[in-house]
Amino acid sequence: MELMKPAYMILACLLALPAVPRATGQIATVPALDEKPLWELWQFHLASSNLHDAVAERCAEMAKSTHLYPLTLVAEGLGAWHLLKAEKQDEAVKLLDKLAAQPASGPSLPVAAANLGKGWLTRIDRERVRAALQAHYRQEVQYPDNLEPLQKLPAEVRPPARDRYNKLWSYRIVNFKKLRGFQNQKYELSSNTLGARSDLKTELARPYGDAIRLKPVRIMSATPGRETITFERTVGDKTETVHLSVGSKIDDIEFAYLGPRLLILGDGSHWMIMPRPR
């Protein structure tokens, strides 16, 4: 896979490619040279994925280069993940709040960044709901039938009633099948948007980008504003071909950006940066 080659070899190839116009659904064209800092940051992340403080620091340095917007959003999303892995949640939340405040419609990369920010903030908020449920359990020795009692708690411990997508939490009591007389001793709690990927600890334990299994193969259409890339993906034992244009999605994977040298995918938790195909 090309991304596993030494960074200097790939970067040399990238910078040798001719520039191609990008889709008009994005913010004004980012010069090819301006993609270089993001590519170098991505290579550092791949080579140092467990050095969370070091990668987060590099992400913060790139984020200061405001002239690189919207590519700085990718650096901030990547940096937030490394901060969460380093157990620096307060610092991560500051970045995630900024991402979540990006427009929910319009150019595709800010939209994908907003989705990523809301996803991680929802998981963090879910932990607050869980903490409130435990506080209720300590007093009542059972969990509530619904989440309404939690909204009567003091403001400093009251959890959000909705997730960051402005949807009510999915909550239900799960009683034991064989043990009678033990009611409201177990529950299920999730975001209606994130579903099975609602748990913070579980999501952080996943290898970065493991669900983004699309490989760009070629440019199917280079028409400005309607550029379409052919991707391959492996499903079980089969390899499928899919065609995506910037701003479109397949499953939970968003085609967030297509530049002169790079393309960026996101799945609401992680980014994946790859060379633009010829």
Side-chain angles (χ1 to χ4, degrees), residues 87-234:
E87 300 183 354
K88 296 181 177 180
Q89 188 175 107
D90 290 345
E91 294 180 43
V93 166
K94 292 178 182 178
L95 293 177
L96 295 169
D97 278 335
K98 181 178 179 180
L99 296 180
Q102 294 296 311
S105 61
S108 51
L109 186 51
V111 169
N115 187 37
L116 185 147
K118 290 174 183 177
W120 285 112
L121 290 171
T122 290
R123 296 181 185 102
I124 292 169
D125 285 349
R126 178 177 173 272
E127 293 302 304
R128 294 174 57 194
V129 179
R130 292 182 64 214
L133 285 168
Q134 288 305 119
H136 183 280
Y137 185 89
R138 285 192 294 270
Q139 286 189 337
E140 306 295 334
V141 199
Q142 65 177 18
Y143 294 111
D145 291 325
N146 54 60
L147 297 179
E148 291 181 9
L150 304 187
Q151 296 307 305
K152 299 176 182 179
L153 294 172
E156 62 271 15
V157 294
R158 185 187 309 143
R162 295 173 179 267
D163 66 15
R164 295 301 177 111
Y165 303 94
N166 200 32
K167 294 183 179 180
L168 293 171
W169 300 101
S170 175
Y171 171 81
R172 71 185 186 97
I173 292 294
V174 182
N175 287 316
F176 296 108
K177 294 181 179 180
K178 296 183 178 180
L179 293 176
R180 299 184 181 277
F182 293 90
Q183 300 296 313
N184 293 40
Q185 298 298 299
K186 187 178 179 182
Y187 67 85
E188 290 181 352
L189 173 69
S190 64
S191 160
N192 280 299
T193 299
L194 298 179
R197 295 179 65 175
S198 296
D199 185 72
L200 178 63
K201 184 177 180 180
T202 301
E203 192 69 8
L204 277 175
R206 290 176 51 213
Y208 196 91
D210 68 331
I212 306 176
R213 300 174 183 174
L214 294 177
K215 177 184 177 182
V217 178
R218 62 183 177 275
I219 298 176
M220 182 179 179
S221 172
T223 303
R226 291 182 293 177
E227 292 171 304
T228 302
I229 303 296
T230 298
F231 293 86
E232 288 182 350
R233 67 170 180 171
T234 301

Side-chain angles (χ1 to χ4, degrees), residues 2 5 41 45 84 90 173 176 180 186 190 196 211-212 241-242 254-255:
E2 288 189 349
K5 294 180 180 179
L41 173 62
H45 155 75
L84 288 173
D90 290 345
I173 292 294
F176 296 108
R180 299 184 181 277
K186 187 178 179 182
S190 64
I212 306 176
T241 298
V242 296
E254 302 173 87
F255 190 174

Side-chain angles (χ1 to χ4, degrees), residues 22-136:
R22 290 191 297 115
T24 56
Q26 303 180 52
I27 291 175
T29 301
V30 178
L33 184 61
D34 285 354
E35 292 179 340
K36 181 179 177 181
L38 181 60
W39 181 252
E40 292 176 340
L41 173 62
W42 181 250
Q43 292 300 312
F44 184 69
H45 155 75
L46 292 178
S48 313
S49 58
N50 292 323
L51 301 178
H52 302 300
D53 288 329
V55 180
E57 185 176 341
R58 284 280 294 267
C59 291
E61 285 299 315
M62 180 178 168
K64 294 176 183 177
S65 302
T66 55
H67 66 285
L68 296 179
Y69 180 88
L71 298 182
T72 49
L73 299 174
V74 181
E76 288 169 327
L78 183 61
W81 181 83
H82 280 283
L83 288 170
L84 288 173
K85 293 289 285 186
E87 300 183 354
K88 296 181 177 180
Q89 188 175 107
D90 290 345
E91 294 180 43
V93 166
K94 292 178 182 178
L95 293 177
L96 295 169
D97 278 335
K98 181 178 179 180
L99 296 180
Q102 294 296 311
S105 61
S108 51
L109 186 51
V111 169
N115 187 37
L116 185 147
K118 290 174 183 177
W120 285 112
L121 290 171
T122 290
R123 296 181 185 102
I124 292 169
D125 285 349
R126 178 177 173 272
E127 293 302 304
R128 294 174 57 194
V129 179
R130 292 182 64 214
L133 285 168
Q134 288 305 119
H136 183 280

